[in-house]
Amino acid sequence: MSSVTVRVPAKVNVQLSVGPLREDGYHDLVNVFHAVSVFDEVVAKESESITVSVAGDWADQVPVDDGNLAIQAARALAKHAGRTYGAELVIHKSIPVAGGMAGGSADAAGALVACNELWGLGLPLEDLMEIAADLGSDVPFSLLGGTAVGTGRGERLSDVPTGGQFHWAFAVAQGGLSTAKVYAECDRLRETAGVEVPWPQLSEPLLAALRTGDAEALGAELSNDLQAAALSLRPDLSDTLEAGRRAGALGALVSGSGPTCAFLAGDADHAEHLADTLSHLPTCRTALAAHGPVPGPRPS
Ligand SMILES: C[C@@](CO)(OP(=O)(O)O)[C@H](O)COP(=O)(O)OP(=O)(O)OC[C@H]1O[C@@H](n2ccc(N)nc2=O)[C@H](O)[C@@H]1O
Ligand SMILES: Nc1ncnc2c1ncn2[C@@H]1O[C@H](COP(=O)(O)OP(=O)(O)O)[C@@H](O)[C@H]1O
């Protein structure tokens, strides 16, 4: 095989409950991931060494050196296999960068799946999941896709059954937010408020809404403990959330660490309408309509 192509979805977190700061600098989470139909494409071609190039709307914001998560993923896979392998990785980016939609994690997951195939390693998903967890907390979910609850750092995953499709609009903000800074701001706000941080709990009403495919109920249950921190760093996001609510979204929240905002719609037409409305906001770089859940990356 001389070339392998995979498509990898972005995510939105339909519940993100953040526990106290751990000694290792991470937080224990209840993180309900939901993969949506905004895809990066990762191509792996035969080559002497591991390299990456990036095309698409967001290409200028993505590192092409050792900081690129897809390169790190390919290297980690070669190390796991105990051999020196090469791959020319070509990423076509559609997932906003530093937007809270796990684009870097998607590219890392895509590189793992594509190189596993290109190099004929035949490693099972469980092995790829272990490598993924060392690359970043969100990378295991990017391999899995669908809807899943992540505990620990978010890397220990269990599938969540869903009934039917949900429709979304995403308001992509100008610029990005650093995940580490948003978690640090969350800690700062909590310390200032002097509240005891409860252990995160999975929401039963949220699970029921996902299982039954009830968009109205899901909209009412969306929650994100990082939202206050993202709004503290980017107050303009409140206007975006408010505009989406006024336009009839069933639910509105910051996606993960932001600054992308996610809006649940009643159906595909409603999602297109919301995206069109949001795209005209001064706080918004662009807006996308999408649906979920969608599967994780598979080689073709
Ligand atoms: C917030 C979330 C929600 O899914 O995603 P994004 O919105 O960034 O996409 C994730 O928790 C982000 O996961 P990921 O982007 O893989 O983060 P990592 O590389 O593992 O960690 C980056 C930094 O985020 C903080 N971090 C991350 C995960 C976690 N459970 N607790 C943390 O405190 C730490 O400061 C860490 O150094
Ligand atoms: N392949 C990649 N795609 C996007 N960003 C990457 C990639 N590799 C490394 N990065 C770095 O990771 C940071 C976070 O990117 P991303 O995963 O898109 O955001 P988020 O963590 O908010 O979901 C970026 O600012 C960028 O410097």
Side-chain angles (χ1 to χ4, degrees), residues 50-55 59 61-68 71 89 91:
I50 296 173
T51 59
V52 72
S53 60
V54 184
Q61 291 160 55
V62 180
V64 287
D65 57 11
D66 290 357
N68 192 295
I71 289 207
L89 301 169
I91 298 171

Side-chain angles (χ1 to χ4, degrees), residues 161-228:
T162 50
Q165 293 266 297
F166 295 98
H167 297 274
W168 298 89
F170 293 96
V172 182
Q174 307 284 354
L177 274 174
S178 147
T179 298
K181 284 190 182 150
V182 176
Y183 273 106
E185 180 67 0
C186 175
D187 293 337
R188 192 189 69 78
L189 292 174
R190 285 171 164 182
E191 211 174 301
T192 309
V195 289
E196 189 162 336
V197 181
W199 190 253
Q201 302 287 341
L202 184 56
S203 159
E204 288 300 329
L206 179 98
L207 288 183
L210 287 165
R211 193 172 52 243
T212 55
D214 184 338
E216 212 153 310
L218 180 61
E221 291 301 324
L222 297 171
S223 71
N224 178 2
D225 281 355
L226 292 182
Q227 180 158 311

Side-chain angles (χ1 to χ4, degrees), residues 28-260:
D28 279 303
L29 306 176
V30 165
N31 190 350
V32 184
F33 297 98
H34 180 71
V36 294
S37 61
V38 179
F39 298 97
D40 277 1
E41 184 186 83
V42 181
V43 184
K45 301 178 191 175
E46 271 182 7
S47 178
E48 293 288 303
S49 58
I50 296 173
T51 59
V52 72
S53 60
V54 184
D57 277 357
W58 315 94
D60 57 332
Q61 291 160 55
V62 180
V64 287
D65 57 11
D66 290 357
N68 192 295
L69 273 170
I71 289 207
Q72 291 173 21
R75 291 221 175 106
L77 181 66
K79 189 169 171 208
H80 180 95
R83 280 198 36 200
T84 308
Y85 288 102
E88 180 191 345
L89 301 169
V90 182
I91 298 171
H92 193 281
K93 274 215 90 71
S94 300
I95 305 175
V97 176
M101 296 189 77
S105 304
D107 299 346
L112 288 177
V113 170
C115 290
N116 188 36
E117 189 77 7
L118 182 76
W119 298 336
L121 300 175
L123 292 177
L125 184 63
E126 299 78 67
D127 288 24
L128 299 184
M129 295 284 267
E130 267 181 40
I131 301 169
D134 287 338
L135 293 163
S137 310
D138 278 359
V139 185
F141 176 73
S142 293
L143 272 175
L144 200 63
T147 304
V149 56
T151 53
R153 285 184 289 123
E155 85 285 18
R156 292 207 297 266
L157 295 167
S158 325
D159 258 335
V160 169
T162 50
Q165 293 266 297
F166 295 98
H167 297 274
W168 298 89
F170 293 96
V172 182
Q174 307 284 354
L177 274 174
S178 147
T179 298
K181 284 190 182 150
V182 176
Y183 273 106
E185 180 67 0
C186 175
D187 293 337
R188 192 189 69 78
L189 292 174
R190 285 171 164 182
E191 211 174 301
T192 309
V195 289
E196 189 162 336
V197 181
W199 190 253
Q201 302 287 341
L202 184 56
S203 159
E204 288 300 329
L206 179 98
L207 288 183
L210 287 165
R211 193 172 52 243
T212 55
D214 184 338
E216 212 153 310
L218 180 61
E221 291 301 324
L222 297 171
S223 71
N224 178 2
D225 281 355
L226 292 182
Q227 180 158 311
L231 293 179
S232 167
L233 297 172
R234 288 285 303 266
D236 61 313
L237 298 180
S238 304
D239 297 342
T240 309
L241 290 171
E242 190 44 40
R245 288 190 195 103
R246 271 201 314 272
L250 303 178
L253 85 175
V254 170
S255 180
S257 60
T260 304

